[in-house]
Amino acid sequence: MSGTTTAALRPRRRTAGPGANRWVVLVVLCVSLLLVALDATVLHVAVPAVSEDLRPSAIQLLWIVDVYPLVCAALLILFGTLGDRVGRRRVLLLGYGLFGVASAVAACAHSAEVLILARALLGVGGAMIMPATLSILRQVFPDRRERALAIGVWSAVAAVGAAVGPLLGGFLLEHFWWGSVFLINIPLMLISLPVGRLLLPESRGETDGPWDVSGALMAAAGLFGVVLGVKRLGGGEDPTGPLTLLPLLVGAALLVLFVRRQRRLPHPLVDLCMFRRPAFSTSVGCIVLAMLALVGLELIAAQYLQLVLGLSPLATGLRLLPLTVAAMAAGLLGARVLRRFGPRRMVCTGFCLTAAAVLTLTAMGPADNSPLLLSAFVLLGLGLETTLFGAYESMLSEAPADRAGGAAAIGETSYQLGAGIGIALLGSVMNAAYTPRLHTVPGVSAPDAIAAGHSLGEAYDVADRLGGPTGAVLRRVARDSFVHGLHLTLLVSAGLLLLGAVMALRLPRIMQCGAETESGGEPGTRAAPETGVAAGAAGESESVPGAVEAAAEPPAAEPGVAGLPSPRGSEQPRAAGQPQLPEKPRVSA
């Protein structure tokens, strides 16, 4: 475990290391993840109800859904590095409080503007929560094999949130108004605040040098500007318009300046040298591609099930449930699969399975086909979770322990940025295929055709208002156009997923399970063997020369932290007269 700890919290940090309490810490972190995952998906089934009540424009509706992941992505680096300075648990608990307040505001929103603002505040709270969960998990599980199991449980909980979100949202919409989907966050927050304060360890990263406030704000503004421009492009806005082109240019310029600034600083906000490691940069790219290809499909699939097949919100959640159950199973088995096959084959296979599932969904039509949807959703859940698990585990394990906060922020930024851009990109593909056909419907005026082209829900409203044969024709054309656009969107997603499979070939072939002497380990805890999967794959159990002597020698304690091993490991200076231990061989990928 990296960094330093205040004297008053040393005992708590110590019990949160590789002792029994690390699994209790994992439970608390999973509740944190569940809080964020629920809010990311619970609104999807409520989009038609929100549209009917608040009557947002097409761009406002896109903002209602998309502003949460985009604000969260823009602020992850800021709050991730802030947690390294002021304490990760402190930032996490503040995120809980803001999440609860913003949920109450969203539930009581009476206009699209207020709901957008509340969703933005939820994004700020999510940006406080997400990096802290991953960085704490990275530190309390120094052994890679245990950490892989912990990440599997962590990702399975994310799948639970993705499943429970639409299902719970559908149940609430059956009995209450759409604002009730936000109220479910408040009980979780009320539980998480006291439990987190009691059980979570407080920790900080390295505090050498000043915190680069200007760099953090520059990164946040740059990310937000780029994604804002992409969102407007996805909404069908003029690419040369000032409100689209200017955010793109300014955001890109700020990100370039941010990278140059980080390279010059002696104590950078984000250590960009991590991207020189092929496993780290490839894992980040795989996360972006996976989310870019799939998150937009989840929203489109929910609209397909409700507006094309005519299912209720609750029935829609039940239809999507097999996807998440399969993802949960893949997450729980991920550690064993990773040890057996290695990151390269695991992530590449996950991408291929997901692409096969997406291509299977192109057989969907205006009529319901339950067996097809069931098999495709199960395959989709298995493939997606396999991909994300392997990518996240490789990214966190490749990053040094003393930079866990920065690595977690980069990973979550990639996840949220890929999700936000995916909705905008796939939404633009969907609009490009859906809208033109509605301008040629006989008997429909130009204003009505434009209104019907905003969304399938608005097309149904226009058709109901027109009535008669014209309304029936408009409804049928709109439904067929939506299915056509869905097929085209699925093909684009499959192409992105196959590109991810090619990218995954740069990942290591085997999982390297090295013994890490990081802070947080209990004295006398036996470390994992350095040979890891390499020896296991060959069916051998070779002894490492000098390993017995190395295990018998107690690690040198870091000054000021009594009883804890040094976070520097072999870099700790040897005492006078202390023999130098033989270095363990490391298996390279």
Side-chain angles (χ1 to χ4, degrees):
M1 192 180 295
S2 64
T4 60
T5 310
T6 58
L9 295 177
R10 282 175 192 157
R12 182 176 292 177
R13 277 280 303 275
R14 190 171 175 180
T15 58
N21 286 345
R22 66 191 184 278
W23 300 106
V24 178
V25 172
L26 176 63
V27 172
V28 179
L29 295 180
C30 288
V31 173
S32 304
L33 178 65
L34 184 64
L35 183 74
V36 179
L38 276 174
D39 200 77
T41 60
V42 72
L43 186 63
H44 289 174
V45 295
V47 166
V50 172
S51 300
E52 182 179 355
D53 187 20
L54 300 183
R55 298 291 177 180
S57 64
I59 192 65
Q60 285 178 329
L61 183 61
L62 191 62
W63 270 107
I64 289 172
V65 175
D66 215 13
V67 70
Y68 170 79
L70 298 186
V71 170
C72 189
L75 298 178
L76 280 167
I77 291 177
L78 189 152
F79 286 117
T81 55
L82 180 64
D84 290 340
R85 292 286 171 165
V86 304
R88 299 179 180 112
R89 186 190 67 167
R90 181 177 299 175
V91 173
L92 183 67
L93 297 180
L94 288 175
Y96 287 159
L98 181 58
F99 218 83
V101 172
S103 298
V105 174
C108 300
H110 296 290
S111 66
E113 292 79 7
V114 174
L115 183 56
I116 291 172
L117 176 61
R119 292 276 291 170
L121 291 176
L122 285 169
V124 177
M128 292 179 171
I129 294 172
M130 294 302 291
T133 60
L134 272 179
S135 59
I136 294 174
L137 185 147
R138 171 67 175 87
Q139 292 172 359
V140 298
F141 289 94
D143 179 73
R144 184 169 184 179
R145 283 174 292 191
E146 280 195 348
R147 185 167 61 246
L149 178 59
I151 292 175
V153 175
W154 184 84
S155 58
V157 170
V160 171
V164 173
L167 187 60
L168 186 57
F171 173 79
L172 293 173
L173 289 173
E174 291 281 345
H175 300 86
F176 306 101
W177 89 113
W178 60 264
S180 61
V181 301
F182 295 105
L183 295 180
I184 59 177
N185 296 327
I186 297 178
L188 284 175
M189 181 272 296
L190 292 176
I191 296 173
S192 299
L193 268 173
V195 173
R197 182 175 177 82
L198 178 65
L199 297 178
L200 286 179
E202 181 62 285
S203 64
R204 294 178 176 86
E206 292 190 2
T207 56
D208 295 338
W211 183 51
D212 185 16
V213 180
S214 300
L217 296 176
M218 190 181 297
L223 286 170
F224 191 84
V226 167
V227 178
L228 173 60
V230 173
K231 280 176 55 61
R232 291 186 61 82
L233 289 175
E237 301 293 332
D238 182 10
T240 61
L243 296 179
T244 302
L245 187 61
L246 186 61
L248 278 174
L249 294 178
V250 172
L254 287 174
L255 291 179
V256 171
L257 292 175
F258 170 76
V259 172
R260 295 182 61 182
R261 178 183 177 87
Q262 298 307 299
R263 288 177 175 174
R264 294 196 308 265
L265 292 177
H267 303 287
L269 186 73
V270 176
D271 187 2
L272 299 177
C273 293
M274 289 189 292
F275 284 95
R276 297 178 184 175
R277 305 184 179 193
F280 184 88
S281 57
T282 301
S283 298
V284 171
C286 289
I287 293 171
V288 172
L289 272 179
M291 299 312 300
L292 189 140
L294 291 167
V295 168
L297 291 180
E298 185 175 357
L299 179 61
I300 296 173
Q303 296 183 18
Y304 168 80
L305 293 174
Q306 291 186 69
L307 298 178
V308 176
L309 300 186
L311 301 179
S312 66
L314 181 58
T316 299
L318 290 173
R319 284 294 184 94
L320 294 173
L321 190 59
L323 186 155
T324 312
V325 172
M328 290 168 53
L332 294 175
L333 296 175
R336 180 175 299 180
V337 174
L338 184 64
R339 290 196 301 269
R340 176 66 179 86
F341 297 102
R344 180 188 301 172
R345 281 188 287 178
M346 182 177 187
V347 176
C348 186
T349 302
F351 269 121
C352 292
L353 286 176
T354 311
V358 168
L359 291 174
T360 302
L361 289 173
T362 57
M364 293 187 305
D368 191 4
N369 190 339
S370 298
L372 173 71
L373 292 177
L374 176 63
S375 58
F377 283 164
V378 169
L379 192 61
L380 188 64
L382 289 173
L384 175 61
E385 182 58 28
T386 299
T387 300
L388 291 178
F389 175 89
Y392 261 109
E393 200 282 334
S394 298
M395 182 200 68
L396 285 178
S397 297
E398 186 68 17
D402 59 351
R403 299 167 189 170
I410 290 172
E412 289 303 317
T413 299
S414 305
Y415 184 97
Q416 298 290 352
L417 191 61
I421 295 178
I423 291 177
L425 175 64
L426 297 183
S428 63
V429 173
M430 183 73 185
N431 290 335
Y434 167 75
T435 303
R437 296 189 177 190
L438 300 181
H439 293 285
T440 60
V441 178
V444 179
S445 63
D448 288 338
I450 293 175
H454 291 160
S455 66
L456 183 58
E458 290 192 44
Y460 284 174
D461 291 339
V462 173
D464 292 339
R465 179 166 51 82
L466 293 176
T470 302
V473 171
L474 177 60
R475 176 180 286 269
R476 179 178 54 80
V477 171
R479 183 192 61 198
D480 294 342
S481 299
F482 184 89
V483 173
H484 169 71
L486 178 59
H487 290 168
L488 183 61
T489 304
L490 291 169
L491 291 176
V492 172
S493 298
L496 293 172
L497 292 166
L498 292 177
L499 178 62
V502 174
M503 179 185 295
L505 296 177
R506 297 181 68 239
L507 289 172
R509 184 176 59 85
I510 61 173
M511 176 185 177
Q512 302 179 50
C513 298
E516 299 178 19
T517 55
E518 302 174 17
S519 174
E522 293 289 345
T525 300
R526 185 173 181 179
E530 190 71 23
T531 50
V533 173
E540 302 173 356
S541 177
E542 301 178 359
S543 62
V544 179
V548 176
E549 293 84 358
E553 186 69 27
E558 183 180 358
V561 187
L564 294 182
S566 166
R568 301 292 194 271
S570 60
E571 297 176 5
Q572 185 73 12
R574 289 183 293 121
Q578 181 182 357
Q580 184 173 6
L581 299 177
E583 183 176 350
K584 292 183 181 181
R586 180 176 294 274
V587 180
S588 59

